[in-house]
Amino acid sequence: MTDDQRAPLKRPKPLDPYSSSAPHLVGIVDTNTLLSSIENDCRKGFRSRLLRMSDDGTATLYAADHVLDETYEHLPRMAKRGLVPLATLRAHFEAEYLPALRFVTVSDLDGPDEQVLAITDTDDVPTGRLAKLIAPCVVFSDDRHLKRPGFAPKDWQRAAKSVLDIADGVRDQAVTVNVAALPARGAVGLVKLLGRQTGISPWAIGAVVLGGGALLLKRPDRRRAAASFAVRALEAVGTMLEAGVAQEWRGVEKLREVILTAPSRPTIRQQVAITLARQNEPLLAAEVYELIQAHFPDEPEVSLQVVRAVLEEGTEFVRVQRYRWQLGREVAPRPS
């Protein structure tokens, strides 16, 4: 069945059942992807797909600690190619990418995992472990050592575009509904929007939509025109909603092919990590415990004391604000 044949406003199932908002995805960024994005931004003067998915909270981006070290190490080498000065590369990285990323100190507390063991480059093992800890997630990497075991998609740029397609589709649906429902300034937006969609003069539309058409509608021919406009306006709004849903569908279906799926039987460490990875603010241990009960009702119940022990033990979990916890940490720029 094609996108055009689906029920017009049937929303796709969420890719991430543990997220409280849609779309909200978890992404893991590797060094090569980060470096290429920084350089392209500086050369071409635009924001990468990684930054754009982070800008409005569409995705939360994480990276293992070694990615930070490798980025600082490779920026001078990149500058030597002469395309972009080192100062420009570093300033862009520190101003735009550091705030968009949380860096995670990955431990080896988890048992052996066949997919992680298939990573032949030891430098990439922390990224694999992190991905298995917080999946479902998308690994943005162009490294063959992460592609071959199935962590990263064949084309990370295409995967990133799919994330943005989902976000754009959901946003277009919300904007269409909100503009159509809002009075005053929203109605002005609707007039302009429907004028482009229907070809009817904005003055005529405004007379009807903004409530100033009482005199205009006394004549039968103008009443017929107004009725025709109303039908065309509804059709235009419906078409725009369907277009937004279709774009969301396309993004979800493409991303479903490459997303690293959630574990079928998550350990308590995975449950804690999956929960914290999707939070914008640090949580109390009790709040983590409550979310685990909600997200994993079919798993054996654990106590609050066990959750606290997991938080204390894992290097991935960072204590902030004394009693609150988050996954990973924000990093300040390094001294020059």
Side-chain angles (χ1 to χ4, degrees), residues 93-162:
F93 167 57
E94 293 178 341
E96 301 294 342
Y97 284 88
L98 283 186
L101 291 165
R102 286 194 208 168
F103 291 90
V104 183
T105 304
V106 183
S107 66
D108 58 355
L109 295 177
D110 301 294
D113 181 274
E114 291 184 5
Q115 196 172 5
V116 174
L117 293 174
I119 301 175
T120 55
D121 187 341
T122 55
D123 289 343
D124 294 316
V125 169
T127 297
R129 285 178 175 161
L130 178 59
K132 297 294 283 190
L133 187 64
I134 64 175
C137 61
V138 181
V139 178
F140 298 105
S141 175
D142 202 28
D143 194 319
R144 67 180 185 277
H145 299 104
L146 291 170
K147 289 182 180 181
R148 287 174 181 170
F151 284 98
K154 293 181 180 179
D155 186 344
W156 76 266
Q157 288 274 16
R158 183 178 179 184
K161 181 181 182 302
S162 297

Side-chain angles (χ1 to χ4, degrees), residues 15 21 42 52 56 102 105 116 155 166 221 249 259 290 298 327 333:
L15 284 164
S21 61
C42 294
R52 286 157 56 198
D56 58 1
R102 286 194 208 168
T105 304
V116 174
D155 186 344
I166 298 172
D221 59 333
W249 266 103
I259 194 169
E290 290 174 359
D298 298 329
L327 180 78

